[in-house]
Amino acid sequence: MRTKDMDYCKYHPLTPAAFHCQHCDIDFCGHCINEDPYRDTQRCFHCQQDLDPLGARNSAPPFWRRLQETFHYPLQAQPLIFIALISFLSALLSFTPFAMLGVLVLSGIMMKYCFSCLESTARGQLNPPDITTAYEGGVALMLSLILILVLMGGAVVAVGLYLGPTAAGLLATLMVISLPAVMINFAMSENLLFALNPLNSIKLIHTIGLPYGLLLGFILIMISSVGAIGGLFGSQISVLSLGLQSVVSNYYTVVAFHMMGYMLFQYQFELGFVAQTDEDSEARSDRDRLLAHIDVCVKEGQFGKALKLFSEGVHKYANDRELFEMCFNFMCATKNREHIGNFTSSYLQLLQDQGRPELVRGVFKRARDVNTEYQPTDIKLRVHLARDCHDSGDFMTAIKLINGLHKQHPEHPLLLEAYHLMAEAMEQVPKMAAQLPACHKLIAQLKKQTAAAPVQKSPQKTRPKPTVDSAPKPTLELEPVEPADGNNNDLPPIEFR
């Protein structure tokens, strides 16, 4: 059983909830749900059951906090031109023999548009509706509104005749107070009897509470301002004066109906219906939905499921650097030593392909923090990293990156450049001095091999397929020899054969 209190998303505690899962008893915001594009429904990521929409009751700010937007509502080009046209046509027709009929028709069109504003706002559409909604049924609507006012006025007269002026004055006051509620009920039901039923008005006023009084106050202020503007023109009656007064009156009428519609929108849960804002109804891409699912899994501690979703994502969006970065950060944060190797190789190659070499070394070092045995699979990438590490003074890492390349890629044209770089790095590390002659010997052999064979263009390498859900392949290791200083953390001396 849902309460009237504001609910918040479980995964975003500061964000009002928009959906509720009965099966899991969890509240979600619009970001944390799984849309079904085929059935136009929202489902829970956990149980895949349909969610109950809470509408925008949690997220809709009170109407008095958006007064600026409310008074700007009719000032958009289309409704403003419509208001001015109706107003000045009414003023012109007032001086013709068909004044009553013409004003009735135009007033009906205007009121039809006002009710369209109320209905569209109640559905969460916070922009004015198209003016074409005003051209059908306006006269019938106007007659219905006149009938409502006549019946309410007739009730006041009848009470005055039988119970006296005091009772009539009290009833008239109650009628004025309940008039917005009557209009709202009529807009909701399009039924005169329902709208005129005082119990329905009392229920609506009681449900909304104090904000209804604020709404009524604003409406009375607007009516008073129309009268004050009319007083500025004095007794002089002209098309211009009547037109300007009508413009102001119609403008305030649209504002008032927009306020009433927004109140329906704001209190939709309490009044028994659900509406969503235009923003809530915007469709998300499959990628955004995938990231939302990952976010929910991570916050639930379901790291294995999140890793599987990342794997699907990097396969589907193989050039999405932001998604690769998120997956890499996730692996580093969860210390995923088993899978970070193969994935990092794909990520590093993507950075190279997209012209972001300045990020390569940082990614490599973070991967080595998680898995100290990690080596990139691509020889060009390893030589690039070794050069970067050498230039930044990290000579031991440069040596480790080149170590073993002659066994893994015995005929690659980059070997000579790589081992020249290794020799330069070894010269800067005193404990590697004993291995420097062997390195120079290997360089000499590589020079002879290069001179004896024609230079072949290295085959074009493609970026390795990203893998996050299988263990990395083992790399070839050199035969270790115990270091002289007995420190097992140092790189063991290397035998170059």
Side-chain angles (χ1 to χ4, degrees):
M1 184 72 180
R2 310 300 295 155
T3 66
K4 293 195 299 183
D5 298 330
M6 181 173 288
D7 304 304
Y8 293 89
C9 176
K10 177 181 179 181
Y11 306 108
H12 298 88
L14 299 180
T15 303
F19 300 92
H20 177 76
C21 178
Q22 294 283 359
H23 182 266
C24 302
D25 194 23
I26 296 176
D27 293 315
F28 301 95
C29 65
H31 171 78
C32 298
I33 53 97
N34 184 20
E35 300 99 333
D36 188 335
Y38 302 104
R39 294 194 297 131
D40 193 25
T41 58
Q42 293 77 32
R43 292 182 285 113
C44 174
F45 277 127
H46 300 302
C47 65
Q48 299 304 315
Q49 305 241 352
D50 288 350
L51 299 174
D52 294 332
L54 301 178
R57 69 179 181 91
N58 283 327
S59 57
F63 77 90
W64 61 85
R65 291 185 180 173
R66 56 182 309 276
L67 288 178
Q68 182 175 1
E69 294 86 348
T70 299
F71 283 97
H72 284 168
Y73 181 82
L75 296 181
Q76 300 184 36
Q78 193 181 66
L80 189 60
I81 293 173
F82 175 75
I83 289 172
L85 185 62
I86 293 292
S87 300
F88 281 99
L89 280 177
S90 298
L92 282 172
L93 289 174
S94 299
F95 294 92
T96 66
F98 309 101
M100 183 174 294
L101 179 60
V103 171
L104 177 65
V105 171
L106 292 175
S107 298
I109 293 173
M110 189 69 232
M111 291 307 300
K112 183 65 170 61
Y113 183 72
C114 290
F115 272 90
S116 297
C117 293
L118 188 155
E119 292 168 1
S120 65
T121 305
R123 291 194 300 267
Q125 299 170 7
L126 302 183
N127 289 313
D130 193 274
I131 61 173
T132 56
T133 59
Y135 299 138
E136 184 177 349
V139 174
L141 174 64
M142 194 64 196
L143 292 175
S144 298
L145 295 178
I146 291 173
L147 181 58
I148 288 174
L149 295 176
V150 168
L151 291 175
M152 294 175 72
V156 172
V157 172
V159 168
L161 291 175
Y162 289 100
L163 298 178
T166 303
L170 179 61
L171 181 61
T173 302
L174 294 176
M175 291 289 187
V176 171
I177 293 173
S178 65
L179 187 58
V182 171
M183 294 298 172
I184 292 174
N185 284 327
F186 182 68
M188 291 174 60
S189 64
E190 297 183 358
N191 187 307
L192 279 175
L193 295 178
F194 182 87
L196 289 170
N197 188 336
L199 295 179
N200 293 330
S201 296
I202 292 171
K203 180 181 177 181
L204 187 144
I205 294 171
H206 178 264
T207 300
I208 295 175
L210 179 61
Y212 182 86
L214 296 175
L215 171 68
L216 183 63
F218 277 111
I219 292 175
L220 292 176
I221 290 171
M222 287 186 284
I223 293 173
S224 301
S225 65
V226 172
I229 292 173
L232 294 177
F233 292 98
S235 59
Q236 182 180 4
I237 299 177
S238 66
V239 172
L240 179 61
S241 64
L242 286 178
L244 291 176
Q245 291 179 64
S246 184
V247 166
V248 175
S249 176
N250 289 331
Y251 165 79
Y252 279 139
T253 304
V254 172
V255 169
F257 274 76
H258 175 58
M259 280 186 176
M260 289 188 285
Y262 189 81
M263 185 163 288
L264 272 176
F265 176 66
Q266 182 184 347
Y267 289 90
Q268 56 186 271
F269 179 76
E270 292 82 358
L271 295 173
F273 70 98
V274 174
Q276 296 180 359
T277 60
D278 296 334
E279 292 79 7
D280 290 336
S281 61
E282 290 181 358
R284 291 187 298 178
S285 66
D286 291 339
R287 177 186 179 277
D288 290 339
R289 194 157 46 246
L290 172 71
L291 293 179
H293 195 179
I294 292 171
D295 184 46
V296 168
C297 291
V298 170
K299 290 175 179 177
E300 285 285 353
Q302 300 172 350
F303 295 153
K305 190 174 182 180
L307 188 64
K308 181 179 179 181
L309 291 169
F310 267 125
S311 175
E312 296 172 0
V314 297
H315 277 82
K316 185 174 182 180
Y317 306 103
N319 294 311
D320 191 329
R321 182 165 59 86
E322 182 183 8
L323 185 58
F324 271 75
E325 181 182 4
M326 294 172 68
C327 182
F328 179 73
N329 290 337
F330 172 76
M331 288 186 173
C332 291
T334 55
K335 305 294 182 184
N336 196 320
R337 188 177 186 276
E338 180 183 3
H339 299 129
I340 200 169
N342 283 348
F343 177 77
T344 303
S345 295
S346 300
Y347 183 28
L348 290 174
Q349 193 62 54
L350 176 65
L351 293 175
Q352 287 281 84
D353 294 345
Q354 294 190 352
R356 299 303 302 270
E358 73 279 3
L359 302 177
V360 168
R361 182 165 173 259
V363 170
F364 169 71
K365 289 181 70 67
R366 289 184 64 195
R368 288 292 288 262
D369 290 340
V370 177
N371 183 355
T372 56
E373 299 177 1
Y374 166 67
Q375 293 279 39
T377 54
D378 183 73
I379 183 173
K380 292 182 179 180
L381 189 57
R382 284 174 67 168
V383 173
H384 169 81
L385 278 168
R387 171 65 65 187
D388 195 12
C389 291
H390 176 277
D391 294 344
S392 61
D394 188 358
F395 302 112
M396 283 304 300
T397 301
I399 294 170
K400 292 177 182 180
L401 282 163
I402 296 173
N403 185 12
L405 284 179
H406 65 295
K407 292 185 177 181
Q408 299 168 23
H409 307 275
E411 298 181 356
H412 201 282
L414 279 177
L415 285 177
L416 189 58
E417 175 187 343
Y419 280 97
H420 271 300
L421 180 62
M422 185 176 187
E424 294 175 8
M426 294 175 77
E427 290 173 356
Q428 304 298 323
V429 182
K431 64 181 178 181
M432 300 300 298
Q435 302 300 316
L436 190 56
C439 184
H440 284 303
K441 182 177 179 180
L442 179 59
I443 291 173
Q445 293 175 355
L446 290 172
K447 286 181 178 179
K448 291 180 181 179
Q449 180 180 328
T450 303
V455 179
Q456 296 182 357
K457 186 177 180 181
S458 60
Q460 184 69 25
K461 294 271 187 175
T462 58
R463 176 156 43 89
K465 192 175 183 179
T467 305
V468 298
D469 53 354
S470 61
K473 297 180 181 179
T475 56
L476 298 177
E477 298 181 357
L478 298 173
E479 298 177 6
V481 178
E482 288 296 323
D485 58 3
N487 187 351
N488 291 327
N489 292 325
D490 293 335
L491 179 72
I494 305 168
E495 294 182 3
F496 296 99
R497 298 179 180 175

